[in-house]
Amino acid sequence: MIKGNLLVGQSGGPTAVINATLAGIISFAQKKLDGKIYGMRGGLEGLLSRTDFIELSNLNEGQLERLKQTSGGALGSGRIKPGQEDLERALSYLKQHDIRYFIFIGGNGSMQTPLELERLAQKQGYELYCIGAPKTVDNDLYGTDHAPGYGSAARWLAQHTLDSGLDLYTMRGFDHFKVVEAMGRHAGWLAAASVLARFRPTDPPHLILLPEIVFDETAFLSKVESIFKREGCVLVVASEGVRDKQGKFLAELNAALNLDPVGKPMLSLGEGISGYLCQLVKEKLGLKARYDKPGTLQRGAACVSPIDREEAFKLGEAAAQYALEGQSGLMPGLLRMSNAPYRCKIVPTKLNQVVGRERIIPPEFLTSDGLNEAAFHEYALPLIGPALAEPMRLRSGE
Amino acid sequence: MIKGNLLVGQSGGPTAVINATLAGIISFAQKKLDGKIYGMRGGLEGLLSRTDFIELSNLNEGQLERLKQTSGGALGSGRIKPGQEDLERALSYLKQHDIRYFIFIGGNGSMQTPLELERLAQKQGYELYCIGAPKTVDNDLYGTDHAPGYGSAARWLAQHTLDSGLDLYTMRGFDHFKVVEAMGRHAGWLAAASVLARFRPTDPPHLILLPEIVFDETAFLSKVESIFKREGCVLVVASEGVRDKQGKFLAELNAALNLDPVGKPMLSLGEGISGYLCQLVKEKLGLKARYDKPGTLQRGAACVSPIDREEAFKLGEAAAQYALEGQSGLMPGLLRMSNAPYRCKIVPTKLNQVVGRERIIPPEFLTSDGLNEAAFHEYALPLIGPALAEPMRLRSGE
C-alpha cells in the first residue's frame, strides 16, 4: 500500500458525469492507498476560505454507485484563477494535512491549479503528485479525443433538437422559426452534436451556427428564407458564442452583457444570441420566431450517455493511478482507436499541453461555411450512447 | 363491423404522448370499423385549406408502436377558433368524404370544434358522431383527473429541476439565483410538479410561483433573501403566467409582449417572467441571477412517463369506442380511484363541460401563499412514472 493522503477537487461548471470521475478516483484510491481520501469543498475558493475537507475514504460500494449516478459536482466547485498567494496558501494547507496526491477534475482553465501547485511544491522541495482529470461539456480540451460530460450533453442536445423539431413541424403555420441555444463560447462541439438528430437530409436542425464560422447575415437570411419556403418552418441550433465579421458576439449586439468574476462576458445570461436571431428574422423576413434556451439544463441532465459515464469513471481511476504511481503534471485523456466498433484507450497528456488552450472544432469537421456533417457524425455518434429512435412520420416529406 | 369513415385530427400545442392517443384511436378503429380511417393534416386550418387526408387504415402493428413512441403531433396541428363559416365548410368536406366519426385530440380550446360540428351536423340532419380526446401538458382540462401529456411534462420538469438544483449547489458562490421557467398561463400544474424533485425540506425548488397565487414582491424578496442566507443559493420555479396585484403578467412588466393569432399575449416569447425576476433580484438584493427557459422542450421531451403514454393510448381507444358506439359530444376522461396503489378509470364527460374552461389548481392543493406541497405531491407522484432517483450527497446539509 502507498502512504500519504489524497485530496480531490472539482472545478468549473458541472456536468452530468463529473461525479462518476470522482467515484473512479475514490474507488481506485481505496484499493491502493494507505492514507486518507479527502474531498475539497467548493473548489479552490473553498480550499482558500476554509480548510475542512470531506472525508471520502469510507464510502461504501453502494454509495460510490449512487455518486456515479448523481449529476452535478457533489464536492461543489469554483472558478478562480489562482494567484501566487493563493497557490502558496493552498500548498500550506496541503502540507498541514500531509496531502501527497492532488487530483483536480476540471476543464482547461482549471488545469492551471494542479500544474502550478506541482511547480510550487517542487520549488519548495515538498513531495506532491498533481494530476488533472478531464471534464467539460464544451469538449474543448486538448489531449483527449473528447471530454467526459460531452457525450451526455451531446445526447441531451441531439434528443431535444429532435423533439423540438417534431414540435415545430406540428405547429407549422403557427410557429415559423425557432432557435435552440447551445452552450459554447469559442467551440461549437455541443451545437454540432445536434446533427445527430437528423435522419433525412431535410430534417432539423436546418442550420447549425458555430463559433468557428463567422456569421454572415445575408447568407443566413437567404438560407432561412429558402428553408422556410421548402419546409414551412426553420429550426436553427446556435452556439451562444457565434460572432460577426467584426468579431463581436451576436449576443452582445442584442443587449448589455453581464461579466463574470474574471471579466469574461456571460453569454448565457439574458436573451443572448437567441433573442438576436429571432429579432433579425422577425424584422427582415417577417417570420414568427421563438427560442428554447435550456441554459444549465443541458449540462447536467440525468438522461446521460452510458458510455460517457463509464469513460468518466475510468478516467477517474486512471487519474488516481497516475498519482499513486508517483506521476505528476499529467492528465489522462482518451485516444480514439476506431469508430466502428468504437474504441478509445486512455493515454497520459502533459498538463501544460492542456492548460488555457481551447480546442475548437478542427478543420476536418468544418466546411467553408459550416459543419462537415458526415465527418462529424462519425466522430460524435458513438459518444452519445444508444442512437436516437427515428420518429414515425405520417406526412410525406416531413 | 360498423360502416362509415372516421376522421381524426390533432389540435393545439403538441405533447410527448399525443401520438399515443392517435395510435389508440387507429388501433381500436382498425378492429371495429368497416370504412376508412383518415387523418386531418395540420388541424382545422389544414382541413379548411386543403381537403386531402392522410389514410391511416393500413398502418401495421409495428408502425403503430413507433407512432406511440413518437413525440409531437404526427398529423400536424392548428389553433384557430372556428367561425360559423369555417364549421360549415368543414362539415361539407366531411360529408364529401362520408365521414361519420370525428375525433379531435386537443385541449379546452380545441374541444369547441367537435362540439360545434356535432351541433351543426344535427341541425343539418347529417349523422355524425363527434368525440374529443384529451391532451395538454397544462393539465387544465375539466372532466379528467389529469390530461395525457401532463405526466410526461411533469416528469421532465421535476427531473430538470432536480438536475438544475444540483448544478446550482455545485456553483454556489458563483451563481446565486436561478429561475426555471415552466409553461402555464393560468394554471400552475406544471410548475407545481417541480415539487417532486424535493427529497428534503430544504431541497430545491426553494420557491414555486403559480398563476393561482398573486405575486407579492415584498414577500418574494424577503423569502429569497432568507433562503439565500441559509442555502447560499436560491432556485425558483416560475409559471410563465404569474401576475401581480393589478392582474398584470410579470412577463408583461419585463418587455413588450408578442400576441398570438387570436390576440392572446405570448408569454413564452422573449425573456418573460424569468427576465423580470432576475432583474428584480439583481437590483434589490444584488444577487447574481440567471434563468433556464426550456420553452417547447418541456412539452415534447422523449423521456416520457410510461404511465402517461399508456393512459394516452387508452384514452384514444376509448374515444374511438365512444364514436363507433354512436355516442357523441363526449370526451373520455380519467377518474382517480386511488392514490396507492394508483388507479384511474376512464369515464365520459360532456364536451360542453370542458370547452373553453380552464381548470386551475383547486383550493385543496393551495395554501394562502403557495402550493400545499404534501397534498399536491400525493396527486402528482403517480403520474410521472418511476420516482426520481435521490442524489448522493457528500456535503452535509446540501
Side-chain angles (χ1 to χ4, degrees), chain A residues 11 44 79-84 86-87 90 102 104-120 130-133 141 262 329-331 350-357:
Chain A
S11 182
L44 195 59
R79 269 185 186 268
I80 55 159
K81 250 180 143 82
Q84 196 53 33
D86 297 327
L87 289 165
F102 176 76
F104 214 44
I105 312 171
N108 46 30
S110 308
M111 290 306 164
Q112 205 190 342
T113 297
L115 184 67
E116 303 215 346
L117 269 181
E118 191 217 8
R119 287 179 185 157
L120 190 65
C130 296
I131 297 289
L141 276 180
V262 299
L330 299 180
M331 177 190 89
K350 292 219 164 84
L351 278 179
N352 60 17
Q353 297 299 304
V354 181
V355 169
R357 295 174 65 202

Side-chain angles (χ1 to χ4, degrees), chain B residues 342-381:
Chain B
Y342 169 70
R343 213 162 63 78
C344 272
K345 71 174 185 184
I346 293 179
V347 293
T349 310
K350 292 220 164 85
L351 278 178
N352 60 18
Q353 297 298 306
V354 181
V355 169
R357 295 174 65 201
E358 281 172 307
R359 186 177 65 122
I360 62 171
I361 302 181
E364 67 263 32
F365 292 145
L366 298 174
T367 63
S368 62
D369 70 342
L371 191 69
N372 179 336
E373 300 191 351
F376 188 81
H377 199 277
E378 209 180 345
Y379 165 80
L381 187 65

Side-chain angles (χ1 to χ4, degrees), chain A residues 139-178:
Chain A
N139 203 36
D140 61 353
L141 276 180
Y142 277 93
T144 187
D145 176 75
H146 56 278
Y150 174 64
S152 295
R155 177 174 193 83
W156 193 93
L157 196 78
Q159 182 67 62
H160 278 82
T161 300
L162 175 58
D163 299 338
S164 195
L166 291 169
D167 189 297
L168 183 62
Y169 273 84
T170 304
M171 300 310 285
R172 275 194 312 189
F174 183 73
D175 288 333
H176 297 153
F177 175 86
K178 184 155 64 176

Side-chain angles (χ1 to χ4, degrees), chain A residues 10 12-15 19 22 26 41-42 50 54 56 59 62-64 66-68 70-79 156 159-161 163-164 166-172 174-175 178 180 183 258 260-261 266 268-271 282 288-303 390-396 398, chain B residues 10 12-15 19 22 26 41-42 50 54 56 59 62-64 66-68 70-79 156 159-161 163-164 166-172 174-175 178 180 183 258 260-261 266 268-271 282 288-303 390-396 398:
Chain A
Q10 294 174 322
T15 78
N19 288 330
L22 177 61
I26 299 169
R41 303 166 80 98
R50 51 181 185 188
I54 303 171
L56 306 168
L59 290 183
Q63 290 173 314
L64 282 178
R66 272 182 59 210
L67 180 60
K68 197 173 161 185
T70 295
S71 172
L75 296 174
S77 187
R79 269 185 186 268
W156 193 93
Q159 182 67 62
H160 278 82
T161 300
D163 299 338
S164 195
L166 291 169
D167 189 297
L168 183 62
Y169 273 84
T170 304
M171 300 310 285
R172 275 194 312 189
F174 183 73
D175 288 333
K178 184 155 64 176
V180 174
M183 288 181 156
N258 298 275
D260 78 1
M266 298 279 296
S268 59
L269 301 192
E271 288 200 290
K282 230 178 337 192
K288 284 174 225 151
R290 72 187 304 159
Y291 60 80
D292 296 332
K293 197 175 164 72
T296 59
L297 299 180
Q298 66 198 293
R299 72 181 176 197
C303 287
E390 183 168 4
M392 175 70 198
R393 294 176 178 94
L394 299 176
R395 298 177 290 178
S396 60
E398 284 163 29
Chain B
Q10 293 174 322
T15 78
N19 287 331
L22 177 61
I26 299 169
R41 302 166 80 96
R50 52 181 184 186
I54 303 170
L56 306 168
L59 290 184
Q63 291 174 314
L64 282 178
R66 272 182 60 210
L67 181 59
K68 197 173 160 184
T70 296
S71 172
L75 296 173
S77 187
R79 268 185 188 269
W156 193 93
Q159 182 67 62
H160 278 81
T161 300
D163 299 338
S164 195
L166 291 169
D167 190 299
L168 183 62
Y169 273 85
T170 305
M171 299 310 285
R172 275 193 310 189
F174 183 72
D175 288 332
K178 184 155 63 175
V180 174
M183 287 183 158
N258 297 275
D260 78 1
M266 299 278 297
S268 59
L269 302 192
E271 288 200 292
K282 231 175 340 189
K288 284 176 223 147
R290 72 187 304 159
Y291 60 81
D292 296 333
K293 198 176 163 72
T296 60
L297 300 179
Q298 66 198 293
R299 71 181 176 196
C303 288
E390 182 166 6
M392 176 68 198
R393 293 177 178 95
L394 299 176
R395 298 177 287 179
S396 61
E398 285 164 31

Side-chain angles (χ1 to χ4, degrees), chain B residues 2-7 33 36 38 94-103 121 125-131 323-324 326-328:
Chain B
I2 296 155
K3 297 278 183 186
N5 299 325
L6 181 149
L7 178 64
L33 185 71
K36 300 282 191 192
Y38 291 122
L94 265 52
K95 288 179 179 174
Q96 239 171 286
H97 291 86
D98 195 28
I99 305 294
R100 298 295 174 169
Y101 309 99
F102 177 76
I103 303 180
Y126 178 72
E127 200 179 327
L128 179 71
Y129 304 100
C130 295
I131 298 289
L324 299 186
Q327 302 196 68
S328 196

Side-chain angles (χ1 to χ4, degrees), chain B residues 127-367:
Chain B
E127 200 179 327
L128 179 71
Y129 304 100
C130 295
I131 298 289
K135 78 84 217 171
T136 174
V137 296
D138 294 331
N139 203 37
D140 61 354
L141 277 180
Y142 277 92
T144 187
D145 177 74
H146 55 279
Y150 174 65
S152 295
R155 178 174 192 82
W156 193 93
L157 196 78
Q159 182 67 62
H160 278 81
T161 300
L162 175 58
D163 299 338
S164 195
L166 291 169
D167 190 299
L168 183 62
Y169 273 85
T170 305
M171 299 310 285
R172 275 193 310 189
F174 183 72
D175 288 332
H176 297 154
F177 175 86
K178 184 155 63 175
V179 181
V180 174
E181 183 173 324
M183 287 183 158
R185 164 183 298 274
H186 295 124
W189 296 101
L190 207 44
S194 65
V195 76
L196 301 175
R198 193 185 294 144
F199 290 89
R200 301 168 310 178
T202 54
D203 283 350
H206 301 120
L207 290 172
I208 302 175
L209 302 182
L210 306 171
E212 286 84 353
I213 305 286
V214 170
F215 180 72
D216 177 336
E217 184 181 304
T218 315
F220 171 76
L221 287 170
S222 118
K223 282 180 199 167
V224 168
E225 202 170 14
S226 82
I227 295 161
F228 183 71
K229 271 196 192 127
R230 190 188 75 214
E231 299 290 319
C233 61
V234 184
L235 190 143
V236 175
V237 175
S239 290
E240 61 189 13
V242 174
R243 295 164 192 253
D244 67 7
K245 278 171 209 151
Q246 281 74 45
K248 272 224 170 239
F249 289 118
L250 300 191
E252 288 183 275
L253 301 176
N254 181 40
L257 268 185
N258 297 275
L259 300 181
D260 78 1
V262 298
K264 285 200 286 191
M266 299 278 297
L267 300 178
S268 59
L269 302 192
E271 288 200 292
I273 188 172
S274 292
Y276 178 77
L277 293 175
C278 285
Q279 198 52 42
L280 182 69
V281 158
K282 231 175 340 189
E283 266 172 31
K284 302 281 168 131
L285 303 177
L287 299 184
K288 284 176 223 147
R290 72 187 304 159
Y291 60 81
D292 296 333
K293 198 176 163 72
T296 60
L297 300 179
Q298 66 198 293
R299 71 181 176 196
C303 288
V304 306
S305 154
I307 185 94
D308 186 30
R309 179 176 278 151
E310 259 336 284
E311 288 178 341
F313 184 83
K314 284 187 182 140
L315 286 162
E317 289 182 314
Q321 186 184 349
Y322 292 174
L324 299 186
E325 285 173 0
Q327 302 196 68
S328 196
L330 299 179
M331 178 190 90
L334 295 160
L335 179 67
R336 174 104 42 149
M337 306 305 289
S338 69
N339 285 329
Y342 169 70
R343 213 162 63 78
C344 272
K345 71 174 185 184
I346 293 179
V347 293
T349 310
K350 292 220 164 85
L351 278 178
N352 60 18
Q353 297 298 306
V354 181
V355 169
R357 295 174 65 201
E358 281 172 307
R359 186 177 65 122
I360 62 171
I361 302 181
E364 67 263 32
F365 292 145
L366 298 174
T367 63

